[in-house]
Amino acid sequence: MAEEDRMVKMEVDYSDTVSKVIPECETLASENKLNEAIDKLLVLEKQTRAAGDAISSSKVLVCIVSLCYKVQDWTLLKEHVTTLCKKRGHFKLAVTKMVQRCCEMVPEIQDKERKMDLIEILRTVTEGKIYVENERARVTRTLASIYEKDDEREKAAKVLQELQVETFGTMEKKEKVEFILEQMRLCFETKDYIRTQIISKKISTKYFEAEDTEELKLRYYRQMIDLNLHHKEYLAVSKNYFEIYNTASVKEVEQKWKEALQRVVLYLILSEYDNEQSDMLARIKTDTNLSKLPYYQNVLTCFDTAELLNWSILKKVYSQHLKSKPGEPASPLDKEENWDVLQMRVVEHNIRVLAKYYTRISIKHFADLLHLDLKEAEKRLCEQVVKGTVTAKIDRLDGVICFTKRKDTEQILNAWSGNLNSVMDLIGNVNHLITKERMVHQVS
């Protein structure tokens, strides 16, 4: 075990001595006798350390750095901070108190160069020391904010990524989440999207179920929306807006929950069809607040009903109502590219409807119902088959599409066995009836 980790029993209580010496040293420092005051304190520091008086030692160390800061002797301050942290047998409590006092100085320093020097010294002396990991994290965050103000976002992101705050045992959970959100923001702004995705998984969404976490919850989901929009993961965006919609502070303001619910619906219909999307669509339809947004309710119903949709009519009816109006936040359908995505979703919906009602259909009739040319219709069908949404075969020679699902060997054998059992049951019943008839005729 390292010497600094051992429990040291206090042999002498220097609290009275310290309470007398510190005012004397402060007086000496005010009379421009800083070196004399520091020397006196260093002697006392050695005595308290040898005697095992951690509390008195802490007061002495804090006094040393405070006097250096008070007279603005930066060279002496940096020297003593470095030296005192390296001394053999120092108490963790004393070092922690001294580092904490130095951290309090950082925001008070106006000169940028001096502030940066002190931050670097603090980052150096706290490196690898678990008992001052919180202080190291805080000064590192200050350093990142300085880099960001200087428009050096990549430096800020890099320096903040060094902190693995999720492993800090003494840091409050709220502060951890704030640090991780800041890491996510800087990584996203520097276009490091993969790292942003990795960092986002360090936050458990269960934390947002606790009280007084709404602000952090909204920050987290807004950042996730930006990230998922970059990857064009519309279902994930819809889920993020749904979490915002279910936040108490948002539901209290009608304009806010309406805006959130609108985005939930729009990104849901823009997302690709799968079991998860279908399940969420069914859940959103049961929300009573959706009735206050009739156009959004109707367009959601269109995609939940097994009927063919006419794209030109749908766009004509809903284009004005699903776009944002002047003074309102931007809608995803303000972008023309998202209308192209929506058109693709309408085609995919129609293919699923046709697969449900037809077992065989000609390619020409299939393309006519989709309002596409033959080549485009075949391409869209192939995409759906590859995704596993529908099962189909195209017979180009006969110009026919078959939507029947191919049975595997086990299913065929099971069906044959079932049919064989049915035939044998019928033969047995017929044999019984014939025997019965013969017996009746013999009696008569």
Side-chain angles (χ1 to χ4, degrees):
M1 186 184 289
E3 188 173 341
E4 65 174 7
D5 291 334
R6 294 196 188 106
M7 294 295 292
V8 180
K9 184 179 179 181
M10 186 169 67
E11 297 175 357
V12 182
D13 186 357
Y14 277 92
S15 56
D16 292 336
T17 308
V18 168
S19 60
K20 289 178 184 178
V21 173
I22 286 178
E24 292 174 5
C25 292
E26 287 174 347
T27 305
L28 286 171
S30 62
E31 295 172 354
N32 293 325
K33 297 178 181 178
L34 178 62
N35 288 328
E36 187 178 335
I38 295 293
D39 290 341
K40 200 170 184 180
L41 287 168
L42 288 172
V43 171
L44 184 58
E45 181 273 327
K46 186 176 181 181
Q47 291 172 343
T48 56
R49 177 159 43 92
D53 190 351
I55 296 173
S56 297
S57 183
S58 302
K59 291 178 181 178
V60 173
L61 263 62
V62 169
C63 184
I64 291 171
V65 295
S66 297
L67 290 179
C68 293
Y69 175 67
K70 190 174 182 181
V71 300
Q72 303 286 292
D73 193 331
W74 305 107
T75 306
L76 208 58
L77 174 63
K78 290 187 286 184
E79 180 186 331
H80 284 300
V81 169
T82 306
T83 307
L84 292 170
C85 283
K86 290 180 179 179
K87 281 196 174 181
R88 185 179 177 85
H90 242 319
F91 301 106
K92 291 180 181 178
L93 176 65
V95 174
T96 303
K97 292 289 183 185
M98 182 186 70
V99 170
Q100 286 173 348
R101 177 67 188 101
C102 291
C103 290
E104 291 171 5
M105 299 173 188
V106 172
E108 297 172 4
I109 300 171
Q110 300 301 319
D111 186 86
K112 179 186 168 184
E113 188 176 343
R114 287 173 178 171
K115 183 184 282 192
M116 294 280 281
D117 285 345
L118 182 57
I119 288 172
E120 286 301 332
I121 289 292
L122 290 172
R123 276 168 47 79
T124 302
V125 299
T126 56
E127 188 175 3
K129 294 182 173 68
I130 296 175
Y131 53 93
V132 284
E133 61 188 3
N134 291 354
E135 287 72 22
R136 176 180 171 78
R138 287 163 192 151
V139 295
T140 303
R141 188 173 178 182
T142 305
L143 180 62
S145 65
I146 293 171
Y147 282 141
E148 192 175 3
K149 285 178 184 176
D150 294 341
D151 203 24
E152 294 180 301
R153 283 187 173 81
E154 288 186 3
K155 265 189 176 182
K158 187 176 180 180
V159 79
L160 211 59
Q161 283 167 29
E162 296 173 3
L163 301 172
Q164 307 298 326
V165 291
E166 66 277 6
T167 64
F168 291 6
T170 55
M171 185 179 282
E172 290 184 5
K173 205 159 190 178
K174 184 178 180 181
E175 192 175 2
K176 283 184 185 180
V177 173
E178 286 174 347
F179 266 99
I180 295 170
L181 288 173
E182 193 67 12
Q183 289 174 335
M184 284 175 61
R185 182 184 66 81
L186 286 171
C187 286
F188 184 80
E189 288 179 2
T190 53
K191 299 182 179 180
D192 192 349
Y193 303 116
I194 295 173
R195 195 178 296 275
T196 308
Q197 187 79 43
I198 293 168
I199 293 172
S200 69
K201 293 177 181 178
K202 295 179 181 180
I203 298 177
S204 172
T205 53
K206 288 182 180 179
Y207 168 72
F208 300 125
E209 295 173 6
E211 293 181 0
D212 302 324
T213 59
E214 286 192 4
E215 185 182 346
L216 292 174
K217 177 183 177 180
L218 293 174
R219 274 181 61 191
Y220 171 75
Y221 282 113
R222 286 187 182 119
Q223 287 184 211
M224 289 305 297
I225 285 167
D226 292 337
L227 179 63
N228 290 322
L229 279 176
H230 171 76
H231 293 300
K232 295 186 177 180
E233 295 177 356
Y234 297 120
L235 182 58
V237 175
S238 180
K239 287 180 179 179
N240 296 150
Y241 271 115
F242 188 64
E243 293 296 335
I244 291 174
Y245 166 71
N246 282 326
T247 306
S249 60
V250 172
K251 282 209 167 181
E252 288 172 2
V253 184
E254 185 176 356
Q255 185 181 354
K256 287 184 177 180
W257 69 253
K258 277 188 174 180
E259 180 189 332
L261 189 55
Q262 286 171 0
R263 301 299 180 276
V264 171
V265 172
L266 292 178
Y267 283 111
L268 187 58
I269 62 176
L270 285 172
S271 59
E272 291 186 9
Y273 175 85
D274 58 17
N275 292 336
E276 200 173 359
Q277 190 261 9
S278 178
D279 177 66
M280 188 170 180
L281 192 147
R283 283 191 290 123
I284 299 299
K285 272 192 69 180
T286 60
D287 195 306
T288 53
N289 284 334
L290 197 61
S291 60
K292 297 177 183 177
L293 301 168
Y295 285 100
Y296 291 86
Q297 186 179 35
N298 292 341
V299 76
L300 201 64
T301 304
C302 289
F303 282 89
D304 193 43
T305 307
E307 295 179 3
L308 293 175
L309 299 176
N310 188 306
W311 167 246
S312 56
I313 295 174
L314 187 140
K315 187 175 181 180
K316 184 178 179 181
V317 172
Y318 293 103
S319 59
Q320 296 302 318
H321 302 285
L322 301 184
K323 288 182 178 179
S324 61
K325 297 175 178 60
E328 291 182 350
S331 166
L333 291 181
D334 290 344
K335 296 179 181 178
E336 196 59 37
E337 63 185 36
N338 284 337
W339 281 102
D340 295 336
V341 174
L342 186 59
Q343 183 179 8
M344 194 182 300
R345 300 293 173 255
V346 169
V347 172
E348 291 170 0
H349 169 82
N350 289 341
I351 291 173
R352 292 194 301 275
V353 171
L354 292 174
K356 184 176 181 180
Y357 289 114
Y358 285 87
T359 53
R360 286 168 60 87
I361 185 174
S362 68
I363 297 176
K364 187 178 183 308
H365 186 41
F366 177 77
D368 290 340
L369 291 172
L370 295 179
H371 302 283
L372 299 172
D373 57 52
L374 293 174
K375 188 176 180 181
E376 186 68 16
E378 188 176 320
K379 178 184 174 184
R380 297 299 178 197
L381 177 61
C382 291
E383 288 173 356
Q384 294 304 296
V385 171
V386 170
K387 290 175 185 176
T389 308
V390 297
T391 303
K393 278 185 177 182
I394 301 174
D395 188 341
R396 286 198 178 92
L397 295 176
D398 294 336
V400 173
I401 300 170
C402 298
F403 287 108
T404 52
K405 189 176 181 180
R406 183 179 179 182
K407 295 179 180 179
D408 58 27
T409 310
E410 188 177 350
Q411 288 176 324
I412 294 170
L413 286 172
N414 288 338
W416 179 82
S417 176
N419 292 337
L420 188 62
N421 288 334
S422 298
V423 170
M424 294 305 294
D425 288 340
L426 288 172
I427 292 172
N429 289 334
V430 170
N431 184 47
H432 173 71
L433 292 172
I434 292 171
T435 305
K436 185 179 177 181
E437 283 292 322
R438 283 179 177 173
M439 292 174 66
V440 170
H441 283 293
Q442 285 175 2
V443 171
S444 60

